[in-house]
């Protein structure tokens, strides 16, 4: 089946630092989504990307849809303690009948 | 606006007992519906998805089944729970394929 390779698996940073994580696939994707999950809760949508090359920001977050349509990255600038959580990439592959699949997540820890 | 409801929030069930988790969506018609399972500290594994009433696609062979008796109702069931069925179960909906998905608050299932 389809797989998304998300890296890094975890990150430990200081408050104020910038963060970058990415997601790759061997297949072409039509849509890339980035979510954040806090403990014991459902994932919350951060950014949605629909076109190759698209660069979208949401506050301190910026994400891009790779031009090959096989990758995406998420950047967080000037991290703060409330950025702590698990970040997931997700997407729909360019194949009939495929549903939304997720990467394994990046756990972010921020020390003040 | 659209909302998604998932219950119960937590559940402790003995091995061999049946299971029924319910998810309902309000404020939209004919949504795509999804069930995911998340093991502790792990990513989201797609279990089932549905594009319409009575239409269920299974992604992973397992001890679980899903049904969609009404347009905005998605039910996850098991006849006999196994210890390995423990996990965090998440329901989600999207307008259609290739659009952003929104999650419920999840059900923490512990099989003892």
């Amino acid at each position: 089946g389809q797989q998304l390779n998300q890296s890094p698996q975890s990150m430990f940073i200081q408050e104020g630092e910038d963060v970058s994580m990415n997601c790759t696939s061997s297949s072409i994707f039509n849509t890339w989504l980035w979510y954040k999950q806090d403990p014991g809760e459902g994932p919350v949508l951060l950014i949605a990307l629909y076109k190759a090359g698209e660069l979208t920001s949401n506050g301190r977050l910026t994400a891009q849809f790779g031009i090959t349509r096989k990758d995406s990255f998420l950047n967080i600038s000037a991290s703060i303690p409330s950025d702590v959580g698990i970040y997931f990439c997700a997407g729909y592959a360019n194949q009939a009948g495929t549903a939304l699949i997720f990467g394994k997540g990046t756990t972010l820890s921020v020390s003040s | 606006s659209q909302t998604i409801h998932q219950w119960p929030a937590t559940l402790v069930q003995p091995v061999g007992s049946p299971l029924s988790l319910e998810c309902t969506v309000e404020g939209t018609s004919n949504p795509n519906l999804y069930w995911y399972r998340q093991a502790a500290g792990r990513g989201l594994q797609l279990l089932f998805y549905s594009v319409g009433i009575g239409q269920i696609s299974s992604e992973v062979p397992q001890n679980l089944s899903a049904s969609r008796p009404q347009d905005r109702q998605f039910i996850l069931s098991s006849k006999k729970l196994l210890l390995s069925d423990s996990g965090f179960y998440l329901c989600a909906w999207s307008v259609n394929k290739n659009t952003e998905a929104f999650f419920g608050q999840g059900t923490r299932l512990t099989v003892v």
Side-chain angles (χ1 to χ4, degrees):
Chain A
Q2 301 293 331
Q3 283 191 327
L4 292 181
N5 301 307
Q6 185 173 350
S7 64
Q9 185 175 355
S10 59
M11 302 182 74
F12 299 86
I13 62 171
Q14 294 280 338
E15 183 177 0
E17 291 184 4
D18 297 343
V19 172
S20 184
M21 59 193 78
N22 68 81
C23 214
T24 62
S25 172
S26 58
S27 303
I28 290 175
F29 274 63
N30 293 329
T31 302
W32 286 98
L33 306 171
W34 285 93
Y35 290 85
K36 182 191 177 196
Q37 185 180 31
D38 291 327
E41 298 185 10
V44 174
L45 181 69
L46 299 174
I47 293 178
L49 302 162
Y50 296 105
K51 295 169 62 175
E54 180 180 356
L55 183 71
T56 298
S57 293
N58 178 7
R60 294 178 294 105
L61 279 61
T62 301
Q64 186 161 28
F65 192 139
I67 57 173
T68 66
R69 297 174 64 189
K70 294 182 178 181
D71 64 324
S72 177
F73 71 76
L74 174 70
N75 288 341
I76 304 174
S77 63
S79 58
I80 59 178
S82 61
D83 290 334
V84 166
I86 304 177
Y87 292 80
F88 290 100
C89 64
Y92 295 93
N94 185 34
Q95 294 180 8
T98 57
L100 182 62
I101 62 171
F102 280 74
K104 294 187 183 301
T106 296
T107 301
L108 179 63
S109 301
V110 180
S111 59
S112 54
Chain B
S1 63
Q2 300 88 2
T3 56
I4 180 169
H5 302 280
Q6 193 180 338
W7 67 92
T10 60
L11 191 59
V12 180
Q13 292 285 101
V15 169
S17 64
L19 173 73
S20 181
L21 302 181
E22 188 164 344
C23 173
T24 60
V25 181
E26 296 178 357
T28 188
S29 297
N30 197 32
N32 283 7
L33 296 170
Y34 307 86
W35 278 112
Y36 292 87
R37 176 169 60 199
Q38 185 176 30
R42 304 285 295 276
L44 279 70
Q45 179 188 34
L46 179 63
L47 302 176
F48 302 95
Y49 70 96
S50 171
V51 299
I53 296 175
Q55 301 179 59
I56 308 294
S57 295
S58 175
E59 291 292 305
V60 181
Q62 61 220 318
N63 185 41
L64 302 168
S65 63
S67 62
R68 185 170 177 173
Q70 301 180 42
D71 181 42
R72 291 169 290 176
Q73 184 184 30
F74 205 23
I75 298 173
L76 183 69
S77 303
S78 174
K79 292 182 179 179
K80 289 185 177 182
L81 284 169
L82 306 172
L83 288 174
S84 57
D85 291 325
S86 294
F88 192 46
Y89 289 82
L90 289 156
C91 180
W93 74 273
S94 65
V95 171
N96 50 42
K97 184 188 170 183
N98 293 325
T99 60
E100 55 264 41
F102 300 94
F103 283 82
Q105 286 300 300
T107 296
R108 173 75 58 194
L109 172 67
T110 304
V111 182
V112 295

